[in-house]
Amino acid sequence: MTKQQQYMKNLNTDQKDAVLHAKGPLLVLAGAGTGKTKVISHRFAYMTGVLKVPPTSILTMTFTNKAANEMKERIERLTGKNTDGLWIGTFHSLSARILRRDIGKLGYESDFCIYDDGDSGHIVRTILKEFKIHEALYRGIFSKISSLKASLVEPDDLLSNEESYGFDEKFARVYVRYQDELKKNNALDFNDLIMLTVKLFEKHPSVLKMYQKEFSHIMIDEFQDTNISQYRLARLLCDKHKNICVVGDDDQSIYKFRGANVGNIRNFKKDFPKVKVINLGQNYRSTQNILNVAGNIITKNTKRMPKELWTERKKGQSVFYCTTINEKEEARYISQAIKELYLKGKYSYGDIGIFYRVNQQSKAIEEVLRENGQHYSILGGANYYHKKEVKDVVSYLKAIANPHDSVSLKSIINCPPRQIGAATVTRVENEARKRDESLYATMKHIIKSNGYTASLKDKVSSFVNIIDDLIAKKRINLQDFLELIYKKTGYLKWIGDEKAKNLDSLMDAAEGKDLSGFVDIAALYSSADETYNNDVVSLMTLHNAKGLEFPVVFIAGIEDGLIPHFHAIKDPEELEEERRLFYVGVTRAQDMLIMSGTKKRKLYTSVQDQQPSRFLSEIPANCYKCIEKRPRADAIASSNVKVPAGRLNKSPFVTGARVKHPKWGVGVVRDTYGETDDVKVTVNFPSVGMKRLSLKFANLEKI
Ligand code: ATP
Ligand code: MG
């Protein structure tokens, strides 16, 4: 097979047209799952493999790291060549790369650091405090700054031309100050990365010329979400060769709050009158049932470029919508459904995505997944259980459950500060090494013996006393015990109110558990993180799901106030944006879509009564199946796979049993499941981490 044939294989006629059109501007405007991203990867392979365009001369840009990595993988699979060092990546990372080389020309240092929204938000808040502006205005001010930057309006422009932007002087001062602070910290925020690259090109034509020469071809995925600055960047770069290919879907434009400008698609035809436009109609991703739901959602939007989506795939599984009483039950429902799908054997954890509107929603879901030993990772968000304060409190629990756990003990020995500094810790550690004992045992020895200074004895004994007091009370109710830890150590006071709030969920999770069980779950989870990297359930916000696909998709919180978000409810334009966001979520699903919502939900601090999303009532009822309240999740998995718990208990390989494996040595059983004639166990081996084994084949020995 020639390379050309190889790269055209599995493409439909329209997709082939798009791949072959390598010269001049090209706009692929098409619905979800029609192969737009596929066209980009095949085009890359075709241009480098057949037309012999040097791979370093193609600039390929998208939005998220995950999407960029997927694109790289697809290209590597097609071409059989490594993509390291090529210009394939996110707008932000590629701009950062350009700036590292030449930002000196704009008066910045080339070792600048990059602030995420959390870091920059922190700066804005501090400025507001200083300017005595009410904190409640923070959100609006922060987003105004972002959209000004996305539109390439710098503080100077604002000051010289205040009237036309309609902002008051106070706001302008905040913006000026914010930009100064960033510069003082040698930091750029996400918007700066693009804005300053554009500035670099506009102020230094020689730099621009060099890149125009370097990039003979430019491709942009998810073009509907480009903002003014991103589009300007692309236009500047393609001005010499005009070989620009953009692919997008106006129905999936979901980043208006970051300045995304759907108008870029419409303007594209004006800016490049010779553009070739290709529409793709066939969806290869989803079943007919899923597309029906998607179609019924998006056709309610009034402002859209009409397009038809069709599939050759069968109707497939029904789409489900389940209502539960609260977010905890919703999480349990999702977890149970995952378990059943997993046991059926068709899907692994990596095939499953769980989406939600706001990050907060992940807490309840994470908690239940963790309890049930279902491994997950969060895309684009900090994992709650990796937060320092959560880890600290878990370390206290671990050290109390087993004071000889020196790693946990060391991590809390001076936390909150008790004047046991690094030198003292090293001293105790050296002593422990000499005596071949744990830190705890050594500290006890230090307190009792004569050969140590009074100051060392004092420091050590004040800490050991706290731990011993807690050990003596460790059998009380776990929630009360957590309160006791906080009281005795002064930990909450030390971290402050804001961070203390992060511990609320830990308190909830402790309900009804005993200390050792709880500690075990925590330990299981942290080791799972490393060993299950490739086979984990993916949790993410709907925004982060763009461009991805999963065989099984759960969308949690289909409720008014979440989707549509309460900020959007009164504004028809925002409402259309929320509908697009819902549409994006639904169209990620390949085989199964399971939506859920609750009657009551704890969000932030209060519990609210929730109504089903108004978007649901726009979908004809025969498009999905409703499940009420506490459903049997096996209604979803069509065959009844059940865990024969009674019989399993008779197996010697119960949870907690110690076992020996011929290769991996001794481990502890963490979970047991499956049919009697094919029982599977998850075992934690200190040497290799978690392993899932079938008893039929594993040659496990109970010890
Ligand atoms: P989105 O709008 O969600 O970004 P997209 O238009 O970029 O979607 P892709 O992700 O490229 O779509 O493709 C969707 C799925 O359909 C992928 O699994 C892809 O491999 C598959 N696909 C695309 N075109 C074809 C084809 N011609 N034959 C078979 N499968 C295809
Ligand atoms: Mg895509």
Side-chain angles (χ1 to χ4, degrees):
M1 199 191 302
T2 63
K3 275 199 171 144
Q4 169 131 1
Q5 285 167 331
Q6 186 193 334
Y7 300 147
M8 294 301 153
K9 214 175 73 179
N10 300 330
L11 295 181
N12 65 34
T13 322
D14 296 326
Q15 291 173 333
K16 275 182 198 159
D17 272 0
V19 170
L20 290 172
H21 185 87
K23 270 212 144 327
L26 170 68
L27 165 64
V28 179
L29 182 60
T34 51
K36 295 183 295 298
T37 306
K38 189 180 172 95
V39 160
I40 289 200
S41 351
H42 281 250
R43 236 178 146 255
F44 190 102
Y46 170 74
M47 288 194 294
T48 54
V50 179
L51 303 182
K52 302 297 173 204
V53 175
T56 45
S57 298
I58 307 175
L59 174 69
T60 310
M61 295 189 282
T62 183
F63 280 82
T64 63
N65 287 318
K66 171 104 176 154
N69 287 338
E70 280 205 12
M71 181 110 71
K72 283 184 195 162
E73 276 166 28
R74 285 192 198 186
I75 290 174
E76 286 181 1
R77 246 179 281 136
L78 274 172
T79 60
K81 293 198 181 109
N82 194 297
T83 55
D84 287 352
L86 300 186
W87 291 90
I88 308 170
T90 63
F91 276 97
H92 293 115
S93 66
L94 298 174
S95 300
R97 192 166 150 191
I98 293 171
L99 289 176
R100 290 265 179 235
R101 260 197 227 165
D102 284 309
I103 198 169
K105 297 193 170 63
L106 296 178
Y108 282 79
E109 311 283 327
S110 64
D111 63 349
F112 60 84
C113 61
I114 300 169
Y115 275 180
D116 64 16
D117 283 357
D119 302 322
S120 2
H122 184 77
I123 296 192
V124 175
R125 279 202 171 90
T126 319
I127 298 172
L128 293 190
K129 219 178 252 170
E130 191 189 310
F131 284 15
K132 302 210 165 37
I133 298 176
H134 203 284
E135 162 118 36
L137 297 175
Y138 159 75
R139 207 184 120 95
I141 290 182
F142 192 40
S143 90
K144 256 193 235 168
I145 292 180
S146 299
S147 53
L148 281 177
K149 285 186 162 191
S151 311
L152 299 168
V153 181
E154 290 198 64
D156 288 347
D157 304 326
L158 195 64
L159 290 177
S160 58
N161 203 356
E162 243 169 70
E163 288 297 305
S164 60
Y165 292 108
F167 292 125
D168 59 24
E169 195 206 318
K170 219 171 189 182
F171 169 77
R173 275 175 45 223
V174 174
Y175 185 17
V176 171
R177 181 61 190 279
Y178 170 69
Q179 214 51 10
D180 283 351
E181 280 297 310
L182 286 178
K183 193 146 187 203
K184 231 191 276 167
N185 295 343
N186 194 21
L188 308 193
D189 68 13
F190 284 165
N191 286 307
D192 282 336
L193 291 172
I194 320 283
M195 185 170 84
L196 293 180
T197 308
V198 169
K199 191 168 172 182
L200 174 70
F201 288 161
E202 290 184 335
K203 293 226 151 124
H204 300 274
S206 60
V207 180
L208 174 63
K209 251 195 197 129
M210 191 190 85
Y211 281 104
Q212 282 177 335
K213 216 169 126 207
E214 184 161 345
F215 301 134
S216 62
H217 291 78
I218 294 174
M219 295 198 272
I220 301 176
D221 198 0
E222 309 278 0
F223 186 63
Q224 74 281 353
D225 276 325
T226 47
N227 58 35
I228 288 177
S229 65
Q230 286 156 335
Y231 185 42
R232 176 86 61 88
L233 181 74
R235 281 201 69 190
L236 285 168
L237 282 170
C238 79
D239 206 36
K240 183 174 156 70
H241 299 284
K242 306 267 190 309
N243 295 330
I244 180 167
C245 158
V246 301
V247 312
D249 175 7
D250 58 311
D251 287 334
Q252 295 186 65
S253 173
I254 54 173
Y255 278 105
K256 192 159 151 262
F257 69 100
R258 291 221 188 122
N261 179 14
V262 191
N264 286 346
I265 293 187
R266 294 184 195 114
N267 291 341
F268 198 76
K269 292 188 202 166
K270 275 191 227 137
D271 294 340
F272 299 93
K274 293 200 187 115
V275 64
K276 180 174 171 87
V277 181
I278 294 180
N279 299 300
L280 308 170
Q282 180 169 3
N283 173 298
Y284 291 90
R285 180 179 293 147
S286 312
T287 63
Q288 190 65 62
N289 278 336
I290 293 166
L291 280 194
N292 274 352
V293 170
N296 276 299
I297 295 167
I298 203 66
T299 44
K300 303 298 178 304
N301 270 4
T302 52
K303 286 186 199 140
R304 57 187 294 258
M305 303 172 172
K307 51 186 106 56
E308 283 299 316
L309 265 194
W310 56 277
T311 179
E312 281 176 357
R313 288 196 64 178
K314 298 215 175 70
K315 279 185 125 186
Q317 278 269 15
S318 304
V319 170
F320 286 88
Y321 164 64
C322 166
T323 45
T324 58
I325 47 169
N326 57 29
E327 73 279 359
K328 187 97 191 171
E329 283 304 312
E330 180 185 45
R332 287 203 181 109
Y333 168 75
I334 292 172
S335 167
Q336 176 67 15
I338 290 174
K339 181 162 186 177
E340 309 220 353
L341 289 167
Y342 181 77
L343 289 176
K344 262 185 84 184
K346 188 168 170 201
Y347 299 110
S348 61
Y349 289 146
D351 292 329
I352 299 170
I354 306 177
F355 309 153
Y356 36 81
R357 178 67 179 85
V358 298
N359 277 314
Q360 261 257 330
Q361 284 174 266
S362 80
K363 279 190 185 175
I365 300 170
E366 279 184 75
E367 216 149 276
V368 175
L369 293 182
R370 215 165 80 98
E371 262 172 40
N372 294 339
Q374 291 167 322
H375 309 286
Y376 67 88
S377 70
I378 298 191
L379 188 87
N383 185 333
Y384 172 70
Y385 291 95
H386 286 179
K387 283 193 164 67
K388 178 167 181 335
E389 52 274 20
V390 178
K391 276 210 292 202
D392 280 346
V393 174
V394 169
S395 294
Y396 266 104
L397 292 174
K398 281 160 98 179
I400 289 157
N402 168 21
H404 298 293
D405 171 354
S406 296
V407 174
S408 297
L409 200 81
K410 188 180 163 192
S411 74
I412 49 152
I413 195 163
N414 199 33
C415 171
R418 316 184 163 87
Q419 294 180 319
I420 308 184
T424 313
V425 174
T426 311
R427 172 94 208 273
V428 178
E429 272 184 318
N430 287 341
E431 200 67 17
R433 211 167 297 125
K434 249 195 265 161
R435 300 178 55 80
D436 198 23
E437 279 178 337
S438 67
L439 285 184
Y440 178 72
T442 306
M443 286 195 267
K444 288 244 160 190
H445 169 77
I446 290 173
I447 297 167
K448 272 192 282 167
S449 323
N450 291 327
Y452 302 94
T453 62
S455 125
L456 178 67
K457 279 167 158 259
D458 279 352
K459 285 179 190 170
V460 164
S461 69
S462 68
F463 174 65
V464 170
N465 285 346
I466 294 175
I467 296 295
D468 281 352
D469 280 355
L470 288 167
I471 290 175
K473 304 209 171 68
K474 71 178 179 183
R475 290 190 205 291
I476 65 171
N477 171 299
L478 188 56
Q479 288 187 321
D480 295 345
F481 191 56
L482 280 171
E483 294 284 1
L484 188 70
I485 294 178
Y486 299 155
K487 202 170 126 207
K488 273 213 163 290
T489 61
Y491 186 78
L492 286 195
K493 231 185 250 159
W494 178 57
I495 57 172
D497 284 351
E498 191 137 331
K499 286 192 174 157
K501 266 190 229 146
N502 289 333
L503 291 169
D504 287 351
S505 299
L506 198 70
M507 187 60 93
D508 290 347
E511 190 182 1
K513 306 230 169 49
D514 65 21
L515 177 61
S516 52
F518 193 70
V519 163
D520 217 349
I521 290 173
L524 183 74
Y525 178 75
S526 52
S527 62
D529 238 16
E530 284 122 45
T531 42
Y532 273 82
N533 260 346
N534 292 324
D535 190 23
V536 294
V537 176
S538 302
L539 269 64
M540 67 195 79
T541 60
L542 286 161
H543 280 101
N544 276 328
K546 193 175 64 153
L548 307 181
E549 59 189 13
F550 294 89
V552 181
V553 164
F554 290 86
I555 307 180
I558 309 282
E559 297 149 30
D560 259 14
L562 281 175
I563 181 88
H565 193 269
F566 70 91
H567 283 302
I569 280 176
K570 291 208 178 87
D571 179 340
E573 286 217 356
E574 293 287 335
L575 213 52
E576 297 218 343
E577 175 109 343
E578 294 289 308
R579 216 181 259 116
R580 288 192 289 268
L581 187 56
F582 189 23
Y583 173 77
V584 165
V586 166
T587 52
R588 302 306 94 202
Q590 294 173 298
D591 305 344
M592 292 183 71
L593 171 65
I594 300 133
M595 305 181 283
S596 55
T598 67
K599 295 195 164 49
K600 281 187 192 297
R601 178 178 296 276
K602 186 174 174 195
L603 259 186
Y604 308 102
T605 46
S606 62
V607 177
Q608 293 161 14
D609 286 325
Q610 297 291 90
Q611 293 298 325
S613 165
R614 62 191 66 194
F615 295 155
L616 267 182
S617 60
E618 297 172 353
I619 310 170
N622 62 3
C623 286
Y624 59 91
K625 281 196 178 147
C626 278
I627 309 174
E628 270 289 323
K629 280 191 179 162
R630 305 260 332 245
R632 282 169 47 86
D634 57 3
I636 284 175
S638 54
S639 83
N640 281 341
V641 182
K642 290 200 196 76
V643 187
R647 279 195 245 165
L648 277 182
N649 288 342
K650 287 188 199 134
S651 143
F653 299 99
V654 291
T655 304
R658 277 159 55 82
V659 294
K660 193 169 170 192
H661 184 271
K663 194 160 138 210
W664 298 315
V666 176
V668 180
V669 175
R670 297 298 190 180
D671 200 6
T672 325
Y673 41 77
E675 311 280 2
T676 0
D677 58 347
D678 185 19
V679 177
K680 297 193 177 66
V681 290
T682 309
V683 181
N684 192 4
F685 294 99
S687 53
V688 287
M690 289 293 171
K691 291 282 171 193
R692 190 151 62 111
L693 303 164
S694 163
L695 287 187
K696 263 202 297 204
F697 307 112
N699 234 342
L700 271 190
E701 191 189 328
K702 166 111 175 30
I703 52 173

